[in-house]
Amino acid sequence: MSPPDCYCTEYGGRHPHAILFNILSQKETNDLRNWDYYTTSHNCHCEQRRLVCLRNPESTCQAASAVLVKTVRFMKSLPSFHHLPRGDQTLLLRSCWVPLFILGLAQERIAFEVMDLPANSILRKILLNDQESHSERETEDCPPTLAGVHNLKLCLNKLLSLDLSPKEYAYLKGALLFNPEIRGLRSTTLIEGLQKEALRVLQEVIHTLYPNNRDRFTQILLTASSLQTIAKSLVSELFFRPIIGQMDLLELLNEILFTK
């Protein structure tokens, strides 16, 4: 699959629709323009389409795997999630594991570096061959690009700059997990209520910790909304393809979720 004409088009046109993001103000566009040095030096990342891989895959993949396991265990630990129909649990997992995983990376302060993917790399062949043999997934699966990694690091840096407390992380994860806008859910009303409750408690925690900071709640939600721009394929191919090969990552996540 050929890359998009412009990185800005690829990521700029995505707008989440969940309750979590509908309450945000119109200043989101202006705030996003100020993020990180990646956006200050270039308005367009078309030159960053080159393929990349982790510089230290052994240590980074191990750390990322630990974060992913913690992410799924967080879901399992919530009684409100555990009592949802199994189909709803699967849909929420499929839709929300990436933003929750990125929150975990930030919370654990996992650092990583990338380098150009060698032309003769076995990993490169696996990624490209996997694309060609799974044409129905072409819209989702693609090798990691430098532009995609820049976008991921931009989000991580913004999260780190907020210096979230453990409670803020926990309730923000809950608000992202219980997304009533996901198609196919049976318990939409219940899940909507759970998201509203997570947002309410998050706001209370912020007011307790930062009574004089009226903008923090909005800042956190703006940052959370940016996580929706991170493609599942980027995360899975960058952090997990080197260790799972052509295995289906979602199948592995389902096993973790539903194994006692």
Side-chain angles (χ1 to χ4, degrees):
M1 181 179 65
S2 60
D5 292 336
C6 178
Y7 167 80
C8 304
T9 301
E10 179 185 6
Y11 289 98
R14 299 181 183 179
H15 300 284
H17 301 289
I19 295 172
L20 174 62
F21 311 110
N22 289 336
I23 66 175
L24 300 178
S25 67
Q26 292 297 321
K27 72 175 184 176
E28 176 177 4
T29 302
N30 293 328
D31 287 352
L32 292 176
R33 289 173 182 167
N34 296 324
W35 283 9
D36 205 85
Y37 69 91
Y38 294 117
T39 55
T40 59
S41 58
H42 297 285
N43 290 325
C44 179
H45 292 270
C46 297
E47 73 279 9
Q48 297 180 18
R49 294 173 182 166
R50 64 181 187 267
L51 305 183
V52 296
C53 61
L54 292 171
R55 186 177 296 278
N56 300 297
E58 295 83 4
S59 58
T60 304
C61 289
Q62 182 177 0
S65 297
V67 170
L68 186 60
V69 171
K70 287 183 180 180
T71 298
V72 180
R73 286 178 176 172
F74 166 78
M75 299 180 192
K76 294 178 66 173
S77 70
L78 299 175
S80 52
F81 179 83
H82 179 72
H83 291 117
L84 291 173
R86 180 164 177 152
D88 284 359
Q89 293 182 44
T90 300
L91 287 172
L92 292 176
L93 171 66
R94 180 183 295 272
S95 175
C96 303
W97 75 267
V98 169
L100 294 182
F101 169 76
I102 297 172
L103 284 177
L105 287 181
Q107 187 171 14
E108 299 290 333
R109 296 185 176 271
I110 303 298
F112 65 93
E113 299 297 333
V114 298
M115 63 181 185
D116 287 344
L117 191 64
N120 60 348
S121 168
I122 294 177
L123 175 60
R124 182 189 181 101
K125 293 179 181 179
I126 290 175
L127 293 176
L128 295 179
N129 288 338
D130 184 63
Q131 268 198 295
E132 293 174 358
S133 62
H134 295 80
S135 58
E136 69 277 7
R137 288 161 32 201
E138 283 185 353
T139 58
E140 297 182 3
D141 290 353
C142 60
T145 63
L146 184 60
V149 172
H150 279 184
N151 190 41
L152 173 58
K153 286 200 169 189
L154 184 147
C155 294
L156 287 170
N157 288 341
K158 185 62 176 179
L159 283 169
L160 292 174
S161 71
L162 289 171
D163 194 22
L164 299 177
S165 68
K167 285 187 177 181
E168 287 174 312
Y169 269 115
Y171 290 111
L172 180 57
K173 289 177 183 178
L176 288 173
L177 173 60
F178 296 115
N179 181 1
E181 301 297 324
I182 298 173
R183 294 182 179 179
L185 291 172
R186 294 172 53 192
S187 307
T188 304
T189 302
L190 174 59
I191 292 170
E192 180 178 344
L194 292 171
Q195 185 182 72
K196 288 181 177 179
E197 179 65 12
L199 288 169
R200 183 189 66 79
V201 179
L202 173 61
Q203 194 166 25
E204 289 181 355
V205 169
I206 293 171
H207 180 71
T208 300
L209 296 176
Y210 304 92
N212 298 321
N213 190 341
R214 297 182 179 181
D215 296 329
R216 185 171 177 83
F217 181 64
T218 300
Q219 291 170 349
I220 290 175
L221 297 190
L222 284 170
T223 304
S225 72
S226 73
L227 303 184
Q228 303 297 322
T229 70
I230 307 300
K232 293 182 177 68
S233 59
L234 172 71
V235 174
S236 59
E237 303 297 330
L238 184 65
F239 294 108
F240 304 110
R241 191 64 63 200
I243 55 177
I244 69 172
Q246 297 189 35
M247 294 180 63
D248 190 323
L249 181 58
L250 278 174
E251 288 185 5
L252 295 178
L253 294 178
N254 273 302
E255 288 184 13
I256 299 173
L257 180 63
F258 294 115
T259 300
K260 296 182 179 181

